[in-house]
């Protein structure tokens, strides 16, 4: 009886109507994605597919992962930022990478994935001159690109959000309203609705197409360090030292609170409409289901321990990434490698797959939409501060190719359905 009560307490309250609506939206979105002409995530790796069943309805296409460590000689390093890279995004067609850093003069870059050439550079200016200059005048902490590739949004320490034309790198608008550094940005998939998170502890909603502010959401008790969203009209946030992850239901103006980390939660990303992953400075990696208040799986000291001034401390998890609608995750720290993980046993287990050597603070990670490469933003310092400095690291963008093993599982093989 005690176990049943504890399990019931962990369940997030959801009415039958909410459940039906959520599952219907999820199913329609999957049908839409399957109908798109572009390859499904992971198709470039030749993954086998299988339909799972979650909550009694057709659910996520699981990509049963069989990748091998990339050849270090094939990892491409793009140099151009003078100071640590803080954030990056990949265009929806996988052709371009946009990056930003702590640079005072080189704020935003656009790179061609195939050639590695820098196509566009937006210089910054001095604080207070943003209206006269194109770029930011302080550290850029976050960026997001709309799912149609039309708009790019960037947020900085000076409380500003800038909206850009992604094709021309021309600045279109500046949003003001946050009272502290803007630390997280995400476009709702399929729309031009933008969510922003800040160190002022609130989430704001914007309509980029109309250059309009929509509303503000309150709840976190500490600075918000990360934010993500998908197709549903909601977003998830990492709440720093308040120790919580939150799911914000925008139409209902309500929030669900999740807890499980012991330290400051510094990064978060949705895997699909039902699961997310987060990382903290206690070294833990958490896998969540959006109907459970506690993690489905927790990997403690995911990147091991370091000797800091004679004390053994876990390496901070500074970046997480998920190949959308798959079982593949990546994590970054300053431990000397990027780690790849698999979500096993119906998203209730985290399995470490392999390490990719990479020196420096991994401040941002993104999978290509097709799943054939992973991009890492690397710096000599952490994106949010200067607690340590790794002198031998290069402030750069690293493009890591992902290859499939020849022993990939087939749909008929055990465990693939």
């Amino acid at each position: 009886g005690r176990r049943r009560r504890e399990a019931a307490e962990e369940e997030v309250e959801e009415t039958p109507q909410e459940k039906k609506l959520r599952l219907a939206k999820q199913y329609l979105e999957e049908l839409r994605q399957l109908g798109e002409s572009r390859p499904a995530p992971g198709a470039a790796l030749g993954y086998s597919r299988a339909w799972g069943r979650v909550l009694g309805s057709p659910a996520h296409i699981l990509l049963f992962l069989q990748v091998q460590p990339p050849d270090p000689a094939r990892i491409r390093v793009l140099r151009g930022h003078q100071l640590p890279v803080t954030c990056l995004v990949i265009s929806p067609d996988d052709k371009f990478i946009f990056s930003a850093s702590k640079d005072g003069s080189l704020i935003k870059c656009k790179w061609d994935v195939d050639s590695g050439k820098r196509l566009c550079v937006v210089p910054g200016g001095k604080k207070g001159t943003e209206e006269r200059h194109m770029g930011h005048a302080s550290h850029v902490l976050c960026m997001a690109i709309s799912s149609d590739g039309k708009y790019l949004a960037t947020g900085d320490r000076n409380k500003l959000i800038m909206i850009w034309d992604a094709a021309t790198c021309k600045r279109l608008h500046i949003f003001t309203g946050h009272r502290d550094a803007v630390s997280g940005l995400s476009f709702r998939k399929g729309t031009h609705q933008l969510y922003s998170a800040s160190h002022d502890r609130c989430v704001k909603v914007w309509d980029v197409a109309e250059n309009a502010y929509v509303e503000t959401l309150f709840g976190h008790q500490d600075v918000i360090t990360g934010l993500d969203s998908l197709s549903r009209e909601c977003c998830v946030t990492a709440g720093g030292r308040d120790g919580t992850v939150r799911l914000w239901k925008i139409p209902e103006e309500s929030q669900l609170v999740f807890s499980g980390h012991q330290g400051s939660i510094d990064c978060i990303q949705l895997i699909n409409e039902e699961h997310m992953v987060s990382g903290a400075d206690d070294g833990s990696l958490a896998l969540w289901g959006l109907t459970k208040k506690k993690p489905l799986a927790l990997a403690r000291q995911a990147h091991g321990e370091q000797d800091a001034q004679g004390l053994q401390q876990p390496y901070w998890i500074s970046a997480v990434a998920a190949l959308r609608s798959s079982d593949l995750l990546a994590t970054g720290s300053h431990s000397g490698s990027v780690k790849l993980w698999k979500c096993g046993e119906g998203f209730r287990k985290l399995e470490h797959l392999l390490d990719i050597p990479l020196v420096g603070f991994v401040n941002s990670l993104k999978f290509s939409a097709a799943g054939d490469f992973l991009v890492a933003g690397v710096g000599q310092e952490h994106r949010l501060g200067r607690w340590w400095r790794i002198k031998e690291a290069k402030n750069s963008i690293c493009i890591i190719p992902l290859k499939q093993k020849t022993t990939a599982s087939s749909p008929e093989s055990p465990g693939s359905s």
Side-chain angles (χ1 to χ4, degrees), residues 356-376:
I356 302 169
L358 207 58
V359 177
F361 282 86
V362 179
N363 289 322
S364 185
L365 284 169
K366 291 289 185 297
F367 283 101
S368 64
D372 54 345
F373 63 90
L374 173 69
V375 182

Side-chain angles (χ1 to χ4, degrees), residues 147-162:
S147 55
D148 61 1
K150 182 176 181 180
Y151 295 114
L152 182 76
T154 52
D156 69 13
R157 279 199 176 276
N158 199 26
K159 317 170 193 177
L160 299 179
I161 300 170
M162 294 190 181

Side-chain angles (χ1 to χ4, degrees), residues 10 60 62 245 258-261 265 267-280 283-300 302 317 320-323 325-331 341-352:
E10 285 189 5
H60 320 293
L62 303 182
V245 166
F258 306 80
S259 58
H261 291 287
I265 308 170
C267 46
I268 189 166
Q269 188 169 10
L270 284 160
I271 302 170
N272 50 46
E273 298 285 7
E274 300 297 330
H275 300 91
M276 59 185 171
V277 61
S278 61
S284 62
L285 175 68
L287 177 61
W288 310 82
L290 298 189
T291 57
K292 289 277 189 178
K293 294 182 179 179
K294 299 294 183 182
L296 301 177
L298 186 69
R300 302 185 187 277
I317 306 299
V320 294
L323 180 57
S325 300
S326 81
D327 56 6
L328 177 60
L329 307 177
T331 58
W341 306 77
K342 177 182 177 180
C343 304
E345 297 181 5
F347 289 91
R348 292 184 176 274
K349 187 177 181 182
L350 283 167
E351 303 173 15
H352 175 239

